[in-house]
Each structure stands twice: as structure tokens, then as C-alpha cells.
Amino acid sequence: MEHDASDAGEARYELVISVDARRSGQYGDAEKPRMRERIYRILDTAFAQAGVDRRALYTGDRGDGVLMAVPGRIAVTRLLGLWMVEVHESLREENSSLRVPLGLRIAMHVGPVRHDSNGINGRAVDLACRLADADVGRRLLDAEGADLVLVVSGSLYHDVVSAGGKFILPERFAPAELDLKEGEFTGWFHLPGRARPDFSRLAPQGPAESGEDSGSSGDGPLPEGSGGKGGGPRPVDAEGRDDGPARYVAGGDLSVNRDNVYHQPVHIGRTVDSDRRKG
């Protein structure tokens, strides 16, 4: 991707695409090169089928994924629509011969991007990478048994996706609030070829699942999304309001009781014998 010398250090609005492989850390050294070859083959095939010259894009290798910046002269709708359809089809074809299917998380955001001799940088790049790494996308892949999840930023959803277009179905995107390092953001999630994501199917996340310190001491329940990498999800409606059941991370026993009416004495909790209480 070439730029004039006068452009050095100047920000330009571009579509940033971050592609990450699912559970890349579980691939051994012998298998990782083959995983990387599949990712690039999938992306290159999709670009060719969508009529997008990959040479016009900035492409940076991330080991277990790819970071790309798409210049403004290429329509964002082409990447959100036809290109995503081709990525999904190419991924399905690759996975048809694999015992352990390859899973991909793809994030998109449009914003100011700066190019230099070492690559690209800027807040838009950071946000796209954070969205791709959000734990909601990881758990959606597992809960739905899917091999591909797309997440777009709130601004990209409202500016482009919500208007629809060829192969762009806004009714199949669902919003969730994410606690990212930069603060709270709304990400819109989509599972290509499937219905609108249902966040209520996601199992509660514990420290062992995320691989991160959730910030809980294990002494009591924490509302999920209150801490830890990726947060959430906390389902929200189109206006950004909370719209869904609370979820909790519990280090021990957990009982949540609301709006109950009891007509006789009841015991809620675990019965512990006297010897254990003394200990």
C-alpha cells in the first residue's frame, strides 16, 4: 500500500479490520504455520471473490491473525457485505477437511489511521483490535458452535450497517456493552449465516475460562462485566440501554432471589454440620 511522502504522519479515515484465530495459543509450533496459511488463504480468496485488490490495503501480520487498513476509495459496504460472505464460505470449505475447525473473530471500525514506516497506529486501530479480542465474541463462537463471528463498532453499525445493503442484514446484529481498556463501548455482534446472536445462551464466565484475573476474591458474586478483560456481555437495546438478565461470576456458592413470596419459613443456602462450622 503506497502513500505520498507528504502523507507521512497524517491521519486518514480508513476501515480497520482485525482478524484473530480462536484459541491460537493451543496450536503447537508445528501446526501454527499451517493455521496461518489457512487464514491468509481464506482472506485472499475472499478478496478475490469480492473484487477487492488486496495490494491496495495495508496488511500487517500479527502471528495469530491479521491487521488491515482499507483506503476510503474502497466501499465499506463491500467489505461488510460481499467480502464477509466470501470469508465465511472460504472458511467453511477449509474446515470441511479439518478435525478441529478453525475459528475466526473479525472486528471492524472506521476512524483516523496514521501510517508510518513500521505500520499503522491510532485510536481506531486500538479499538478494532480490542473489539476482536473481546471475550463476548469468544464465548459466542463456543455457545453457538460457530466458526466465525463479526463485531463492528457502534459508530460503524449506526453509520453503515443499520442502513442495510447487499448481503448486509442489520436485523441479525445484536449489541452488547463491552468494558475495554479505553472504557465502555457498544459492540454489535453478528454470526454470518445464523440468526441474531442470543446472549442469554452464554454461560457465566469464571476466571479459569477467561485466563485473566477477574478481580474477584472468590468471597462473593460479582456482576459479570464489572471487571476483567473484555467484560460483559451486558445486552443493550439500540439506544444503548441495558436489556437483559444480570449475570454473575461466583467464586463459591451463589443464590440470587428476587420478588419471591414465602408463605411459610424457608431456608435458603447450604446446610453445614457443626463440626465443619467449628473448623
Side-chain angles (χ1 to χ4, degrees):
M1 187 175 181
E2 297 182 358
H3 297 285
D4 295 335
S6 60
D7 290 340
E10 294 184 358
R12 57 176 65 195
Y13 270 76
E14 296 180 331
L15 172 68
V16 182
I17 304 175
S18 179
V19 182
D20 280 347
R22 170 175 52 193
R23 297 192 181 94
S24 59
Q26 296 182 9
Y27 286 86
D29 287 346
E31 181 59 25
K32 275 192 175 181
R34 290 190 286 271
M35 175 198 74
R36 288 163 46 80
E37 288 176 5
R38 294 185 189 106
I39 292 175
Y40 279 101
R41 185 161 55 241
I42 289 166
L43 299 180
D44 287 347
T45 299
F47 281 125
Q49 294 297 326
V52 176
D53 186 353
R54 193 187 132 183
R55 293 173 299 178
L57 283 60
Y58 163 83
T59 302
D61 185 82
R62 301 186 66 201
D64 59 352
V66 184
L67 180 64
M68 295 174 284
V70 184
R73 66 178 180 273
I74 299 176
V76 173
T77 52
R78 180 172 291 268
L79 279 301
L80 279 166
L82 181 57
W83 183 72
M84 280 302 305
V85 170
E86 295 296 343
V87 168
H88 187 215
E89 289 302 312
S90 184
L91 177 59
R92 290 179 60 192
E93 183 175 348
E94 286 284 338
N95 282 339
S96 64
S97 60
L98 298 179
R99 182 176 60 84
V100 179
L102 173 65
L104 295 179
R105 303 186 309 277
I106 298 180
M108 296 187 184
H109 174 58
V110 172
V113 177
R114 286 181 168 82
H115 294 254
D116 58 32
S117 59
N118 295 310
I120 59 175
N121 61 87
R123 190 166 179 268
V125 178
D126 294 340
L127 179 55
C129 294
R130 298 277 191 262
L131 290 173
D133 197 44
D135 188 65
V136 181
R138 301 171 187 270
R139 294 197 286 151
L140 268 177
L141 289 182
D142 291 339
E144 299 290 345
D147 48 17
L148 177 63
V149 62
L150 168 67
V151 54
V152 303
S153 63
S155 59
L156 182 55
Y157 176 85
H158 290 294
D159 292 345
V160 181
V161 176
S162 63
K166 190 173 183 180
F167 303 116
I168 301 176
L169 304 173
E171 67 275 10
R172 293 194 180 180
F173 284 73
E177 287 186 7
L178 308 174
D179 293 321
L180 307 181
K181 288 184 178 180
E182 293 78 6
E184 289 192 352
F185 290 87
T186 299
W188 288 78
F189 291 82
H190 171 55
L191 297 167
R194 295 170 179 259
R196 190 174 191 261
D198 180 5
F199 296 125
S200 67
R201 297 184 58 181
L202 300 187
Q205 176 199 0
E209 294 176 272
S210 67
E212 299 286 335
D213 183 1
S214 68
S216 170
S217 65
D219 295 332
L222 286 175
E224 190 168 300
S226 62
K229 185 178 180 181
R234 293 192 301 277
V236 296
D237 61 18
E239 301 300 324
R241 297 184 295 265
D242 286 345
D243 182 23
R247 296 177 178 83
Y248 299 87
V249 175
D253 295 335
L254 171 65
S255 176
V256 178
N257 302 275
R258 297 190 182 96
D259 303 322
N260 296 320
V261 178
Y262 303 105
H263 298 284
Q264 60 183 4
V266 297
H267 172 79
I268 299 175
R270 182 175 57 172
T271 301
V272 180
D273 60 52
S274 59
D275 291 338
R276 290 183 61 187
R277 282 198 298 267
K278 292 177 181 177

